[in-house]
Amino acid sequence: MLNFFQILILALIQGACELLPVSSSAHVIAAEKLMGLDPSSPDMTMLLVMLHTGTMFAVIVYFWKGWRRDYLASAGQIQWFAILIIIATACTGVVGFGLQKLIEKVFMRGTPHAEIENLFNNLPLMAGALAAVGVLIIIAGFREEKAAPPSEIQPRHSVWIGLVQGLCLPFRGFSRSGATISTGLLLGLPKQKLEEFSFALAVVLTPIVIAREALRLVKAHALSGQDSVLHLFVPGLVGMVLSFIAGLLALKWLSHWLEAGRWKFFGFYCLAAAAGVLVIHHLVP
């Protein structure tokens, strides 16, 4: 069982990294490995999802004013926003679900109880995903500096953003926000609206992922032969509250710095983080 101090540390890491395009999941998983925990176990993947849920609520509080101004000011805006979100989410579902089945049925064939969550324990794969998104962010950062006057997000942009988001889902380290915002920058879209759109997509996806991981946790618990399941969700609920508080504090602190146009530097950080994950892989059994 996790103790309160471990949950607090993981919640602080999640809260500090959520708004940054550096993969908060990769940082949380690396911390779990250093604590001797198994990131691929049902209780730990559920905790990770609940930590994301806490910062999701912090993101809603943070972005609500921007969403209301840019997407929710009128019935027409709401309808257009909904269309963009539905298109992107549908593309994410097709790619994400397809990749999950491909990995489980082809690349993990013969593995007992093959689940996509088993990849969460693969630090070299996570390092590769961090490096890949780092390169994407660096390229998009240079593109942002030379960009023409930005245009509004259109359905064709939603398709690309949704497809790239689907590629992120199976791989911890391939930052969802980093990849989706970078894709939009490469398409010549404004960064502020991209941030708002990217995190709105996260709000839509999170309940689906919560349901999946909760079902996985309950099934694993049932196989163990125990009766009560309520205690399984207590660490996640505690982590959710702590990550919400940490996320709000981090968002307020980081907001002005993020607007300073230093997008490519997050890419360089991801490359350094990838090297750090490989070091952890070699040092931690």
Side-chain angles (χ1 to χ4, degrees), residues 22-23 26-27 125-135 173-174 270-271 273-274 277:
V22 297
S23 181
H27 287 72
L125 179 62
M126 191 168 76
L130 272 168
V133 79
V135 171
F174 203 90
C270 285
L271 295 180
V277 168

Side-chain angles (χ1 to χ4, degrees), residues 17-18 49 77 79 107 135 165 194 281:
C17 295
E18 175 61 25
V49 169
Q77 278 188 324
Q79 183 178 11
F107 294 99
V135 171
Q165 181 172 247
L194 279 170
H281 172 67

